[in-house]
Amino acid sequence: MTLRKSFILYVLVTSLCCSMAYAQKIQSYPIISPNGKIKLVFEYHQQAKIDSSASAEFDVYYLTNGKWAPILSDTEIGIATQKEQFKNLTLKSAGSVKRLNARYEMISGKRKLCSNQANESTCNFVNANGKALNVIFRVYNDGIAFRYEFPKWSDQPVHIEDEYTTFNIPAQTDRWVQAYDPGYEDFYPYSNNGKGEKSQEWSYPALFKHQEAPVWYLISEAGNSEFNAASRLVNNKDVNRYKISYSAGRKSFPQQGDISTLPWKSQWHTVMIGSLATVVESTLITDVSEPSRIAQKDWIKPGAVAWIYWAYNHGSKDYQKAVGYTNLAKTMSWPYVLIDWEWDVMGNGGKLEDAVNYAKSKGIKPLIWYNSGTTDWSKDTPVDRMRTRERRIKEFEWLNKIGVYGIKVDFFAGDQQDMMKLYLDILKDAADHHLMVNFHGATIPRGWSRTYPNLMSVEAVFGAEWYNNGDVMTNKAAVHNTTLPFTRNVIGPMDYTPVTFSNSQHPHITSYGHELALSVVFESALQHFADRPEAYYALPDAPKNFLKAVPTAWDETRLLSGFPGKYVVMARRRGAKWYIGGLNGQEDAKVLQFNLDFLNKKQANINIIRDGENDKSFKSQMQVWRKGQPVKINCLPRGGFVAVVE
């Protein structure tokens, strides 16, 4: 045989072998959102004649300009227990698509009336050992969600250790993602390469902008139960492949992942998809979460809070300071005062009970702070009154007796399963005792505000408290503040502790107009106004009266304009009034422009409070808006404004 014939034969045999190895049968199952704009296509790849292994993945498309634009491609699915792998799967059935259409009300958040409207389908698999796994897909008008489910195939507890779930992000995609931190207190820097400075582990939520279509998407998770550890994103093997990974164990709780009897369900993995306004206005996190478990809710009342800690770190152990902040709340018509850490050693004229009684005598409802007692590094007091149910119940009964209305619980140890259980146990026991809850040093919101509406706020943000800890916020605050409305605050309430006009340990250089606007731009059912009393007393009448009246819970929210890290204009409605807040995140003066045609009025009066001649002054004006005309407001560098539309 000649050399030429041998080479040809080699090529033919090689090609045939390759064709056989990669021959596969692909089964596709589309699910389209109720409004027809988002399509999820689940694909099952069955390799033919070679072996019986299989793989499963899905693609997501968005309808733009009459065409389906691919948004997420080849998203891998799968999960692993300590004894079983669910990666190479055999598809047993793909269920028919069914419509979900449920309405619910929120006491707090970006919208009062919400709709859990989606199309849902369940795919049933078995692994090589015949163990069953179900994957539930939902496609909403503003995103997609999916979760894993194990039916009962074992009488013993199962240890779910890891996921194979991986999102493939196109190279050069714009992204705003926070480096993972157990307290979620970091920035969301812009990147288009996916590289981290410290590691390749990332927190939720993660914001991405599609390069070729006018589409944004925000990845997070929701509906974590006591059987679900929280997860994070890891792209250490490929900067554009973000794999879901469970939190590593810690010294006092070495378990990674979940341990549960069967049946078991994972948390929901969520992706909000659409225009930037669609993402910001989305309620997907609460849509997929469990309905309220609290029957009587009339004791749950959002409101503004006077907060001692920012100006006086040890102020809560000083009775006179507690009195001063109670008087501030009374003067400003704020319903609450928060007495922070060290209240258990309060002196200088009175104890905690005296401060509580003084607040009640003024018609102000006191809230108090607790250390969760779960970390090995914080011994701030009072500590370890929340860790066990026996101690919690004893404490909550005492709080009911003396007249405390809510608790702030701080310093949680991480995102492991035991912490998820502790959060939910605190919420349940607090609800039983009609106590509202604010979590600090904590995980991000995961939809629990729907299940337990007494969850009023969560920190999980690099907030104004950091002016106490270093000078980094001084120069980064403006950009950070105009990034948070598109990232962290999208997924739930955010206790940033905003609106400061004086300085704490380190100065801020955002304008007074910028600071005032944070009361509208940032959403939190308990909005803790952080400055010292004299700073609020010294305000001109217009901003002072605005802070006396601004709501902390909303009937409707709209993003009017904005771009992460540059600027934002947010409108929120309470009753018949629209409150608008605008922030300039840039070093140059900017005209913030927006449209009010959604009001469906021919004209309206707008009362505006904006930057004055310098960054420490205001200018108030009334402007008549007419339909079809944009509203334009001049803002200083790092400036801002608020407006009220009757």
Side-chain angles (χ1 to χ4, degrees):
M1 183 180 293
T2 65
L3 180 62
R4 177 178 174 80
K5 289 181 178 179
S6 298
F7 177 74
I8 293 173
L9 181 60
Y10 168 79
V11 171
L12 289 172
V13 172
T14 302
S15 299
L16 180 61
C17 291
C18 289
S19 298
M20 291 177 62
Y22 289 97
Q24 51 186 319
K25 182 180 179 182
I26 302 177
Q27 301 174 37
S28 296
Y29 301 89
I31 313 168
I32 299 177
S33 62
N35 67 359
K37 287 188 174 182
I38 298 175
K39 178 170 66 173
L40 183 150
V41 180
F42 162 68
E43 292 185 345
Y44 172 69
H45 301 253
Q46 175 66 57
Q47 294 180 339
K49 298 182 179 179
I50 304 300
D51 55 46
S52 60
S53 65
S55 62
E57 59 190 26
F58 66 84
D59 304 325
V60 178
Y61 301 86
Y62 190 83
L63 188 65
T64 177
N65 295 324
K67 297 181 181 179
W68 288 110
I71 304 302
L72 289 169
S73 299
D74 304 327
T75 299
E76 300 172 25
I77 59 176
I79 200 164
T81 72
Q82 194 172 65
K83 297 180 179 180
E84 299 284 346
Q85 287 192 341
F86 294 84
K87 184 176 184 180
N88 296 321
L89 300 165
T90 299
L91 180 66
K92 302 299 289 184
S93 65
S96 59
V97 176
K98 67 177 182 179
R99 175 67 63 90
L100 302 177
N101 193 2
R103 298 185 181 276
Y104 63 96
E105 287 192 15
M106 294 289 292
I107 292 176
S108 61
K110 62 184 79 170
R111 185 177 298 121
K112 180 180 180 180
L113 300 177
C114 301
S115 176
N116 182 18
Q117 187 178 40
N119 287 327
E120 180 184 278
S121 180
T122 300
C123 295
N124 310 113
F125 301 93
V126 293
N127 70 356
N129 296 323
K131 300 296 192 294
L133 169 69
N134 302 326
V135 183
I136 303 167
F137 294 102
R138 287 184 183 176
V139 184
Y140 288 80
N141 292 335
D142 55 2
I144 62 110
F146 63 99
R147 77 189 316 180
Y148 300 104
E149 178 184 63
F150 286 135
K152 187 168 184 178
W153 40 256
S154 174
D155 292 327
Q156 300 300 315
V158 172
H159 186 177
I160 299 95
E161 290 188 317
D162 197 11
E163 289 193 24
Y164 301 117
T165 313
T166 303
F167 299 98
N168 292 300
I169 308 300
Q172 303 303 310
T173 293
D174 295 331
R175 57 200 88 184
W176 292 261
V177 191
Q178 181 186 109
Y180 180 75
D181 173 83
Y184 296 83
E185 297 182 53
D186 210 332
F187 297 103
Y188 290 83
Y190 166 78
S191 166
N192 64 1
N193 60 26
K195 295 180 180 178
E197 294 182 0
K198 301 175 183 178
S199 73
Q200 294 302 124
E201 296 184 343
W202 308 97
S203 299
Y204 299 122
L207 178 66
F208 301 89
K209 181 182 181 296
H210 197 278
Q211 288 282 32
E212 299 177 3
V215 179
W216 299 71
Y217 49 102
L218 186 80
I219 299 174
S220 195
E221 70 177 21
N224 301 64
S225 74
E226 62 268 33
F227 303 111
N228 305 134
S231 70
R232 67 188 78 172
L233 295 171
V234 178
N235 67 339
N236 54 358
K237 294 182 179 179
D238 181 334
V239 294
N240 297 309
R241 289 170 53 83
Y242 290 82
K243 178 185 175 298
I244 288 177
S245 176
Y246 294 143
S247 299
R250 62 183 194 278
K251 184 177 180 180
S252 60
F253 190 80
Q255 170 191 315
Q256 177 169 332
D258 310 337
I259 294 180
S260 174
T261 55
L262 301 185
W264 168 88
K265 292 180 180 180
S266 75
Q267 65 271 47
W268 286 98
H269 299 309
T270 62
V271 187
M272 303 172 197
I273 304 168
S275 68
L276 194 53
T278 298
V279 170
V280 169
E281 297 166 18
S282 173
T283 57
L284 185 59
I285 296 297
T286 51
D287 290 347
V288 299
S289 298
E290 292 293 318
S292 175
R293 295 177 182 173
I294 302 176
Q296 181 190 353
K297 308 182 186 72
D298 56 356
W299 53 274
I300 305 173
K301 297 185 182 299
V305 189
W307 186 46
I308 301 173
Y309 177 87
W310 185 84
Y312 303 99
N313 292 173
H314 299 279
S316 289
K317 66 178 182 180
D318 185 332
Y319 173 75
Q320 300 303 328
K321 288 286 191 300
V323 167
Y325 276 83
T326 296
N327 292 338
L328 170 65
K330 179 67 174 179
T331 300
M332 297 297 291
S333 302
W334 299 339
Y336 300 106
V337 62
L338 172 62
I339 304 172
D340 217 280
W341 71 314
E342 299 179 322
W343 56 258
D344 55 325
V345 291
M346 185 181 290
N348 193 24
K351 301 296 183 182
L352 174 71
E353 290 89 339
D354 300 312
V356 167
N357 288 333
Y358 181 81
K360 291 191 297 182
S361 75
K362 296 294 183 179
I364 304 301
K365 300 174 181 178
L367 316 170
I368 66 173
W369 181 97
Y370 287 93
N371 189 331
S372 77
T374 61
T375 70
D376 56 7
W377 51 267
S378 172
K379 303 302 179 186
D380 300 320
T381 63
V383 66
D384 205 20
R385 302 190 191 185
M386 295 291 113
R387 190 69 180 95
T388 67
R389 188 168 192 273
E390 180 181 9
R391 293 179 183 179
R392 280 196 305 275
I393 297 303
K394 180 180 179 181
E395 196 73 8
F396 291 168
E397 289 174 348
W398 175 65
L399 295 181
N400 285 163
K401 181 179 179 181
I402 66 173
V404 169
Y405 285 79
I407 57 172
K408 171 182 175 181
V409 188
D410 209 340
F411 302 138
F412 288 85
D415 275 335
Q416 293 78 19
Q417 183 180 352
D418 68 326
M419 288 297 100
M420 298 297 110
K421 183 177 186 302
L422 179 60
Y423 287 122
L424 292 166
D425 286 346
I426 290 173
L427 289 172
K428 180 183 183 302
D429 292 338
D432 290 342
H433 291 81
H434 288 193
L435 293 169
M436 297 181 295
V437 178
N438 173 20
F439 288 134
H440 255 237
T443 196
I444 56 170
R446 301 177 186 277
W448 296 332
S449 290
R450 180 184 177 189
T451 311
Y452 291 101
N454 59 322
L455 176 57
M456 310 303 285
S457 195
V458 177
E459 186 185 27
V461 65
F462 200 99
E465 181 180 326
W466 278 89
Y467 283 111
N468 282 307
N469 304 329
D471 60 4
V472 66
M473 273 290 275
T474 297
N475 292 312
K476 287 192 173 183
V479 171
H480 184 50
N481 294 347
T482 50
T483 304
L484 292 173
F486 307 102
T487 51
R488 164 62 183 84
N489 212 182
V490 174
I491 62 171
M494 181 177 74
D495 193 17
Y496 179 99
T497 58
V499 189
T500 58
F501 304 104
S502 66
N503 291 321
S504 184
Q505 276 76 355
H506 300 273
H508 65 73
I509 56 175
T510 49
S511 78
Y512 279 16
H514 184 111
E515 289 294 316
L516 186 66
L518 298 179
S519 64
V520 176
V521 174
F522 292 166
E523 183 270 312
S524 177
L526 291 177
Q527 191 76 282
H528 291 82
F529 292 129
D531 213 338
R532 48 184 55 82
E534 52 267 30
Y536 294 116
Y537 296 152
L539 290 172
D541 286 344
K544 185 189 297 182
N545 291 333
F546 180 86
L547 287 176
K548 288 181 179 181
V550 64
T552 66
W554 307 98
D555 296 328
E556 188 177 353
T557 292
R558 287 178 180 262
L559 174 67
L560 301 187
S561 65
F563 192 91
K566 296 186 182 297
Y567 67 99
V568 61
V569 180
M570 192 81 75
R572 302 188 192 272
R573 180 178 62 84
R574 181 69 172 181
K577 288 185 179 181
W578 281 93
Y579 295 78
I580 303 172
L583 302 176
N584 178 14
Q586 301 176 74
E587 297 294 316
D588 299 318
K590 183 176 178 62
V591 177
L592 293 182
Q593 180 173 315
F594 55 95
N595 194 291
L596 295 176
D597 284 351
F598 67 89
L599 295 176
N600 292 321
K601 296 178 180 291
K602 291 183 178 180
Q603 68 177 46
N605 293 332
I606 310 174
N607 293 305
I608 300 169
I609 308 171
R610 63 175 178 86
D611 295 324
E613 296 300 319
N614 57 59
D615 62 358
K616 292 179 173 56
S617 64
F618 297 96
K619 181 176 181 179
S620 301
Q621 65 186 85
M622 195 279 284
Q623 180 175 329
V624 177
W625 165 81
R626 290 179 174 83
K627 188 172 183 178
Q629 293 180 345
V631 180
K632 299 179 181 180
I633 299 179
N634 295 320
C635 292
L636 293 174
R638 303 175 299 278
F641 75 90
V642 295
V644 179
V645 183
E646 297 290 345

